[in-house]
């Protein structure tokens, strides 16, 4: 069923859809630089970035290079819970800098130490490079917090592609005892790279994130032939895509308690709902909230949907208590 958009987003979507139509008329081709630049423009809709007692860029050595992160704490001398934050962006866009206002809001509202990870992006670094980065940061998070007080409660959080990373790490924790996750928070998560959920079709046009753009993101991420559709790739590639999709992975009651947010006008809505159902069936405690009138990436549009974003932050804070 197609979502019904909130009046708060009607003008924004009209402008976005007009720009998209013009780009199609002019036969503008997508490139990583173009798509990254377009996502970065959403920074204009996040005018609030709270001041915190501690914000510092740090890094880990991983595979002979530096893995950058940004650490946030509202009270660096107080032992607070830790939140590993994995940003969204289709596995090929987004950054610690773009998500800085969100990380700051998280640290302030939840009163926790936030570590936002600058993981590698496709197509320069395709699947599973970014997952490896985030898993390394999760396993070694204490090395990033020298001089910053914290306790041993660890939550992971991600939106969109960041949600895919979270759910993959939760799946990996079933067979890797080094991965410790107490809770996970997923915001409009991407968990099905086969693009088979009904909302991909019903919400796949006119709501900012479009079906053909999702397919293109995944082609970059998995280094597929960009002249082919996901469903026309060869059998071995399809197997990799399905195995990489957390929705089709193993589920167990040993997976972390989970909070999931979905948006009614999001193409990824139904796979988020399916993931919540699969966790519940496995015996995992799950909380779910849907904002019916919102779109994918609404957290990057805070100035337009301030009340809904504040509700999201507050529910996250309540969940982490």
């Amino acid at each position: 069923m197609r979502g019904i958009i909130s009046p708060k987003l009607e003008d924004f979507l009209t402008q976005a859809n007009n720009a998209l139509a013009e780009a199609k008329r002019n036969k503008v081709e997508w490139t990583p630089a173009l798509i990254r630049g377009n996502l970065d423009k959403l920074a204009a809709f996040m005018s609030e970035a709270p001041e915190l007692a501690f914000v510092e860029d740090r890094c880990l050595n991983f595979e002979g290079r530096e893995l950058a992160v940004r650490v946030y704490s509202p009270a660096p001398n107080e032992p607070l819970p830790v939140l590993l934050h994995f940003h969204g962006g289709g596995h090929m866009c987004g950054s610690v800098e773009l998500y800085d206002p969100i990380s700051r809001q998280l640290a302030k509202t939840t009163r926790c130490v936030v570590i936002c990870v600058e993981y590698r992006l496709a197509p320069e670094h395709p699947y599973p490079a970014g997952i490896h980065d985030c898993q390394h940061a999760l396993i070694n998070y204490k090395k990033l917090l020298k001089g910053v007080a914290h306790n041993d409660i660890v939550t992971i959080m991600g939106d969109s592609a960041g949600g895919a990373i979270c759910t993959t790490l939760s799946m990996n924790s079933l067979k890797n005892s080094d991965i410790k996750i107490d809770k996970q928070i997923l915001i409009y998560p991407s968990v099905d790279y086969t693009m088979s959920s009904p909302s991909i079709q019903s919400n796949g046009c006119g709501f900012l994130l479009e079906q053909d753009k999702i397919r293109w993101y995944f082609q970059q991420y998995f280094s597929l032939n960009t002249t082919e559709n996901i469903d026309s790739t060869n059998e071995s590639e399809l197997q990799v895509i399905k195995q990489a999709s957390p929705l089709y992975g193993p589920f167990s009651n040993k997976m972390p308690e989970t909070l999931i947010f979905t948006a009614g006008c999001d193409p990824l809505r139904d796979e988020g709902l399916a993931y919540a159902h699969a966790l519940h069936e496995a015996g995992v405690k799950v909380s779910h909230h849907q904002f019916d009138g919102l779109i994918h990436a609404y957290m990057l549009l805070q100035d337009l949907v301030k009340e809904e974003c504040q509700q999201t932050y507050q529910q996250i804070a309540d969940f982490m208590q």
Side-chain angles (χ1 to χ4, degrees):
M1 183 174 67
R2 184 169 173 83
I4 300 174
I5 198 67
S6 166
K8 298 178 182 180
L9 292 173
E10 287 178 350
D11 289 345
F12 169 79
L13 281 180
T14 296
Q15 294 178 22
N17 289 331
N18 288 341
L20 177 62
E22 183 178 358
K24 288 182 177 180
R25 285 195 299 270
N26 294 329
K27 298 182 179 180
V28 175
E29 293 188 5
W30 292 325
T31 66
L34 175 65
I35 300 304
R36 288 165 183 166
N38 286 343
L39 186 66
D40 286 345
K41 290 177 183 177
L42 297 185
F45 298 98
M46 295 185 288
S47 60
E48 293 185 22
E51 291 294 325
L52 296 171
F54 182 90
V55 179
E56 186 171 294
D57 291 332
R58 295 185 170 185
C59 65
L60 282 171
N61 185 271
F62 181 45
E63 298 179 342
R65 57 182 178 79
E66 290 187 344
L67 172 57
V69 307
R70 187 170 294 173
V71 178
Y72 306 79
S73 178
N77 297 318
E78 182 180 339
L80 301 175
V82 176
L83 176 63
L84 272 289
H85 182 199
F86 308 127
H87 67 76
H91 297 291
M92 57 178 303
C93 307
S95 63
V96 167
E97 187 61 34
L98 176 62
Y99 276 71
D100 182 76
I102 295 176
S103 293
R104 288 173 178 268
Q105 290 279 3
L106 286 167
K108 177 185 177 182
T109 307
T110 66
R111 197 162 181 80
C112 67
V113 178
V114 174
I115 302 173
C116 193
V117 182
E118 196 80 88
Y119 59 88
R120 287 172 291 176
L121 300 173
E124 297 88 349
H125 304 284
Y127 171 85
I131 294 170
H132 289 169
D133 288 350
C134 294
Q135 182 163 304
H136 186 74
L138 175 58
I139 292 173
N140 295 280
Y141 76 91
K142 291 184 179 180
K143 295 180 181 179
L144 293 163
L145 298 180
K146 292 179 181 178
V148 180
H150 60 280
N151 60 33
D152 292 327
I153 300 173
V154 179
T155 300
I156 60 174
M157 172 186 153
D159 69 300
S160 193
I165 292 171
C166 286
T167 52
T168 300
L169 296 182
S170 292
M171 187 169 57
N172 290 352
S173 72
L174 298 177
K175 57 188 177 183
N176 186 341
S177 60
D178 290 334
I179 302 175
K180 177 185 180 295
I181 305 169
D182 293 296
K183 295 182 179 182
Q184 70 171 341
I185 300 163
L186 312 173
I187 304 179
Y188 34 81
S190 170
V191 292
D192 181 6
Y193 296 115
T194 71
M195 299 180 62
S196 57
S197 66
S199 59
I200 291 285
Q201 295 289 335
S202 60
N203 288 339
C205 180
F207 289 144
L208 188 65
L209 181 63
E210 306 245 328
Q211 182 178 358
D212 55 351
K213 179 71 68 62
I214 299 170
R215 181 178 293 110
W216 186 77
Y217 278 137
F218 294 168
Q219 288 167 338
Q220 309 304 307
Y221 187 42
F222 292 105
S223 297
L224 302 178
N225 185 336
T226 55
T227 64
E228 298 177 347
N229 291 333
I230 288 288
D231 53 6
S232 65
T233 55
N234 64 52
E235 190 62 33
S236 62
E237 288 177 329
L238 281 173
Q239 190 64 23
V240 169
I241 292 167
K242 195 162 187 177
Q243 287 179 345
S245 301
L247 184 59
Y248 301 106
F251 287 85
S252 165
N253 59 8
K254 295 180 180 179
M255 297 174 86
E257 181 180 356
T258 301
L259 172 63
I260 301 179
F261 295 91
T262 54
C265 301
D266 182 5
L268 307 188
R269 177 194 64 204
D270 290 351
E271 61 197 73
L273 296 173
Y275 185 81
H277 177 74
L279 284 178
H280 177 75
E281 288 295 301
V284 178
K285 187 176 181 181
V286 183
S287 301
H288 169 251
H289 182 83
Q290 179 161 295
F291 290 99
D292 287 334
L294 298 194
I295 61 175
H296 195 80
Y298 74 80
M299 293 293 285
L300 297 173
L301 302 171
Q302 180 167 319
D303 292 353
L304 301 180
V305 287
K306 186 172 296 186
E307 180 182 351
E308 291 85 349
C309 286
Q310 288 306 314
Q311 289 179 25
T312 302
Y313 287 120
Q314 190 56 55
Q315 289 190 47
I316 291 172
D318 293 343
F319 175 74
M320 292 183 65
Q321 296 302 313

